[in-house]
Amino acid sequence: METALGILDHLAVDGHLLRLFVTVYEEGSVSAAARRLDMAQSAVSHALNRLRRLVGDPLFVKSGRRIVATQHAERLVPQARAIMDGLKALTAGNGFDPAQARLSWTVAANDFQRDLLLPRLYARVAARVADFRLQIVPSGRPTSEMLREARCDLLISPAPPEGLDIIQKRLFDDRYVCVFDGAHRASPGTAADFLAGRHLTVVHPSADPLNFDKALEGLGIRRDVVVSVANFSGLAPFLRGTDLMACVPGRLHALELADFQAAPLPPTCWPRPRPARTPCACTWPGTCAPSTTRPRPGCAGSWRPWRGRWPRTAKRQSHPAPRTPPPPGGRRCWRLARRNRWRSAGSLP
């Protein structure tokens, strides 16, 4: 390929052209190379002519029913094979050997997710790699910028941020339970008992309440919250020896508050069970740049209206009677007879 100045451009040679050249050399025939490459013979001939113009040599000449490589082509074949091997090594990437891997992760999580998941994560990864360094930072109210700015490699939260360049994976769903000191108060069996008691809750340092409290507020349900702590680990000292109640995820009760009694939340406190559930999702940066196109119709998160064609309605087909000679009485009588047949068949209104 020549540029505007008439100079041959060496960058026009690509891996496909080199593979075609080597295949023709090995087969000794354009038609055999086309069958091996699953290409049309005309396409192989066209690409070979393009390569001839680029290198300035015929490369192959006819010899009987076969083609023979020129001296210049004989010198080019080892170079082409070396370049193809280099391209293959460039795209192959390095294999991952866990026994020799040295990993350093920064995970953003609050105390509940940290104590529930990360100790087991560290134990499983550290047992399989040569060296594993884990740094845990509080997630607070997570934002997508924490991942985009590389402030953390992984984010675990019940309210993960959203973005086209962010990947999410739901880990589990949990249900809230009511935790209290059984030696100082009875189980709240009804909604009236639940709302009449004094409550303890968690408000993160970012002044963001729990999703559970937000859901209750949205339903118009108000509890008598007398103590607020910054994290779940601060609940136990206030529960012990008092009549306070705290609503926490069920897995947290089994993990850190097993010394306290737990009771299911009274179902009459809300019209649907959704507020009593809490998800937990794992979020990390995607490998692709944010897409500038809208989601396809039918995909998750799609909002663009469908603009396809509606199926064409079947047109009303008339089935006229075969053309017959005019009956006695002339052509006008024949037309009236044919119209009456259409009406009787329902083809006309």
Side-chain angles (χ1 to χ4, degrees):
M1 181 180 296
E2 296 188 5
T3 62
L5 298 177
I7 303 174
L8 294 176
D9 186 7
H10 64 281
L11 296 178
V13 180
D14 56 14
H16 295 287
L17 203 57
L18 295 178
R19 185 185 65 165
L20 183 142
F21 167 63
V22 173
T23 304
V24 173
Y25 173 81
E26 293 174 350
E27 295 293 336
S29 170
V30 174
S31 58
R35 288 192 298 270
R36 178 175 166 183
L37 296 173
D38 195 18
M39 296 175 58
Q41 184 173 344
S42 60
V44 175
S45 300
H46 177 75
L48 193 58
N49 291 333
R50 185 159 61 94
L51 184 61
R52 284 167 174 163
R53 292 193 299 270
L54 289 171
V55 301
D57 188 84
L59 297 178
F60 300 98
V61 294
K62 272 188 168 294
S63 177
R65 296 184 176 180
R66 297 180 60 84
I67 56 176
V68 178
T70 63
Q71 293 183 358
H72 187 57
E74 293 284 355
R75 292 193 297 268
L76 291 180
V77 168
Q79 301 178 32
R81 286 172 174 164
I83 294 174
M84 291 171 60
D85 293 340
L87 292 175
K88 186 182 297 184
L90 179 66
T91 57
N94 296 327
F96 178 72
D97 185 7
Q100 300 181 359
R102 297 182 177 276
L103 305 178
S104 177
W105 291 358
T106 300
V107 180
N110 289 327
D111 58 331
F112 169 43
Q113 294 81 19
R114 177 197 64 199
D115 299 341
L116 179 66
L117 301 174
L118 296 186
R120 286 182 292 174
L121 173 67
Y122 175 80
R124 294 186 64 176
V125 176
R128 290 167 172 79
V129 300
D131 185 39
F132 182 40
R133 306 297 173 93
L134 179 63
Q135 180 182 4
I136 303 171
V137 297
S139 63
R141 185 175 185 177
T143 62
S144 56
E145 299 304 324
M146 298 176 63
L147 298 169
R148 295 192 181 108
E149 297 174 0
R151 283 183 275 165
C152 63
D153 304 307
L154 198 67
L155 194 152
I156 304 176
S157 172
E162 297 182 356
L164 295 177
D165 57 336
I166 294 175
I167 303 174
Q168 295 182 12
K169 176 69 174 180
R170 179 169 293 219
L171 301 178
F172 60 85
D173 282 332
D174 202 355
R175 286 187 174 274
Y176 275 87
V177 295
C178 182
V179 179
F180 54 92
D181 189 343
H184 290 78
R185 68 156 297 127
S187 174
T190 64
D193 295 339
F194 177 79
L195 297 177
R198 298 188 304 163
H199 290 262
L200 168 67
T201 190
V202 175
V203 178
H204 293 294
S206 58
D208 191 23
L210 300 177
N211 291 336
F212 177 82
D213 293 327
K214 292 180 181 179
L216 290 183
E217 184 178 355
L219 294 174
I221 300 175
R222 298 187 179 276
R223 299 179 297 162
D224 183 16
V225 178
V226 296
V227 179
S228 299
V229 295
N231 46 55
F232 286 104
S233 59
L235 295 176
F238 288 93
L239 288 174
R240 186 172 292 107
T242 66
D243 62 346
L244 296 178
M245 294 181 292
C247 296
V248 300
R251 284 181 170 86
L252 178 65
H253 170 253
L255 179 69
E256 297 182 353
L257 302 174
D259 296 339
F260 300 93
Q261 189 173 347
L265 298 175
T268 55
C269 285
W270 36 80
R272 57 186 185 275
R274 185 176 179 86
R277 298 183 61 187
T278 175
C280 183
C282 181
T283 311
W284 63 95
T287 56
C288 302
S291 174
T292 58
T293 59
R294 296 187 178 99
R296 294 176 297 172
C299 298
S302 173
W303 56 269
R304 186 173 55 180
W306 180 74
R307 296 182 179 177
R309 291 179 176 269
W310 289 103
R312 292 184 178 180
T313 57
K315 294 183 178 180
R316 183 172 57 189
Q317 300 290 338
S318 61
H319 301 284
R323 185 177 295 273
T324 57
R331 190 174 183 85
R332 178 177 174 82
C333 295
W334 174 75
R335 288 179 177 174
L336 291 175
R338 188 176 63 174
R339 183 182 181 89
N340 291 335
R341 281 197 299 269
W342 283 348
R343 285 180 174 177
S344 62
S347 300
L348 294 176

